[in-house]
Amino acid sequence: MKYCFSVGLISLACVQGDSLTILQAPGYVSFQKGDWPISGEKIPDMVALTMGFSVQEDLSWPGLRAGQLFQRPRANVLVVVRGVDSLALPQNVASYPLENPVPFTLDSVAETVHSLFADDTPVVLQLAPSEERLYMLGKANAVFEDLPVTLQQIRSRLSQDGSVLASLPLNSLNRNAEADLLFLSEVQVLHDITALLQRHRHLAQDHSPDLYSLELSGLEELGRRYGQDSPQYRDATAILANVLQKFGEDVFGLYGDSAVVEVVTVKSFEAPLTRKSRSILESKQISNPGSPYNLAYKYNFNYAVIFNIVLWLMIILALAVIVISYNLWNMDPGYDSIIYRMTNQKIRLD
């Protein structure tokens, strides 16, 4: 499951089956209704443009028109749903076919947000529960630090007060089955994110845009376990559609109707070897026991430059100290020092 959220400029987008559905968008972000297909690899550029950022290559896609120059959404929320062709999301701004559904990330957009608004500490949250992957930046570290990520943490969260199990019509779903639990954990994470944002409403009032990115693979696991014609799969599809619809409305309202929410639904990604992932159900422990979230360090592309500057500066300073020390040690005060030389002449004159 993968979640990508951006706080500040809110864009909520949902891709259903081979489609991209815009759940919520402010009026000044102009999405045109039509059947214009968009490539999966262009979705990060589309998200960047909705937030007012520039991209390396022009996006020649008529679905998004140029918006107002001085008014941009405060957050962008992208939800990727794997394992389903389409979801019933009737209340949407627009929906487009998705072609070439290759795996993609919003890392480039997150880097832009961090570099342009580093002093304002925007919220950047990227979450993939099925892979136990969580990346937080800025204010997200304080707001979402208690967000459950691993299967063990989410199982514990589902048994606490405020769990979605008390309000969801489970029907054929079994809360004790691993595949069902993975799906329910994703629903719980969506619920907890909106609950945390309601508790920290000040995040939606600053001037820096926020970014959220989430990937949900619970339906894919249910389809693999029970089959897509099973009642478990059908019940889960209906539940997720209702949850996403409400999730988009809640986030849009929390950001004062200044957010874009997108949902991407794909049956399966093409070129699966380009991104290796594992199911949370295949492993009982985290690969890195030293970290509770199995986090990887964020690579900074300036690392090589900074390393070379520090390395050669230290070498030059060390050589300078050695040369200066050697010359001072072997210096003749009577001939090499102007102070002693002038003193000797003054003595002779006296």
Side-chain angles (χ1 to χ4, degrees), residues 66-303:
Q68 299 182 19
L69 182 60
F70 299 104
Q71 193 172 16
R72 292 297 176 181
R74 282 186 262 162
N76 188 296
V77 181
L78 175 65
V79 182
V80 179
V81 182
R82 291 165 45 185
V84 61
D85 289 331
S86 62
L87 290 175
L89 300 171
Q91 300 179 10
N92 62 73
V93 176
S95 183
Y96 309 98
L98 183 69
E99 62 181 9
N100 190 26
V102 296
F104 61 88
T105 67
L106 298 186
D107 292 346
S108 59
V109 184
E111 289 289 343
T112 302
V113 172
H114 178 58
S115 61
L116 295 179
F117 301 91
D119 296 336
D120 297 328
T121 60
V123 174
V124 177
L125 175 66
Q126 296 177 314
L127 179 62
S130 65
E131 302 174 18
E132 298 181 351
R133 187 172 71 250
L134 173 67
Y135 171 62
M136 298 185 296
L137 190 65
K139 296 178 182 177
N141 290 301
V143 177
F144 300 105
E145 60 181 354
D146 296 329
L147 194 68
V149 179
T150 65
L151 186 61
Q152 181 179 1
Q153 293 173 340
I154 298 175
R155 182 186 288 113
S156 176
R157 175 67 182 90
L158 289 172
S159 62
Q160 299 173 1
D161 295 337
S163 170
V164 295
L165 296 179
S167 59
L168 289 179
L170 298 183
N171 297 331
S172 60
L173 295 177
N174 183 1
R175 66 180 65 187
N176 297 320
E178 293 294 318
D180 303 44
L181 184 62
L182 174 60
F183 169 76
L184 294 173
S185 70
E186 297 176 345
V187 176
Q188 183 66 57
V189 168
L190 291 175
H191 177 270
D192 289 345
I193 288 173
T194 55
L196 290 171
L197 287 177
Q198 289 177 351
R199 192 182 309 168
H200 301 274
R201 290 178 176 268
H202 62 280
L203 295 176
Q205 300 175 358
D206 56 18
H207 301 289
S208 59
D210 301 330
L211 178 66
Y212 300 86
S213 173
L214 307 104
E215 182 175 343
L216 309 178
S217 59
L219 279 179
E220 185 178 44
E221 191 66 32
L222 286 173
R224 187 182 299 116
R225 183 66 59 89
Y226 301 111
Q228 297 181 1
D229 296 330
S230 63
Q232 292 90 342
Y233 184 83
R234 291 195 299 269
D235 292 341
T237 301
I239 291 174
L240 184 59
N242 293 331
V243 170
L244 285 176
Q245 193 80 63
K246 186 177 186 303
F247 175 77
E249 295 173 356
D250 292 343
V251 174
F252 188 68
L254 287 170
Y255 279 92
D257 298 344
S258 181
V260 179
V261 181
E262 306 130 342
V263 176
V264 175
T265 55
V266 291
K267 189 68 175 180
S268 62
F269 282 114
E270 295 179 1
L273 295 179
T274 59
R275 182 180 63 180
K276 297 182 179 180
S277 64
R278 61 180 178 84
S279 172
I280 194 174
L281 305 179
E282 296 175 359
S283 177
K284 297 299 182 180
Q285 61 181 6
I286 305 175
S287 59
N288 181 10
S291 172
Y293 299 122
N294 193 26
L295 304 181
Y297 292 102
K298 187 66 177 179
Y299 179 76
N300 191 333
F301 290 97
N302 294 324
Y303 172 80

Side-chain angles (χ1 to χ4, degrees), residues 10-13 22 24-26 29 31 50 73 75-77 258-262:
I10 299 182
S11 294
L12 302 181
I22 310 300
Q24 301 286 344
V29 179
F31 286 97
T50 61
N76 188 296
V77 181
S258 181
V260 179
V261 181
E262 306 130 342

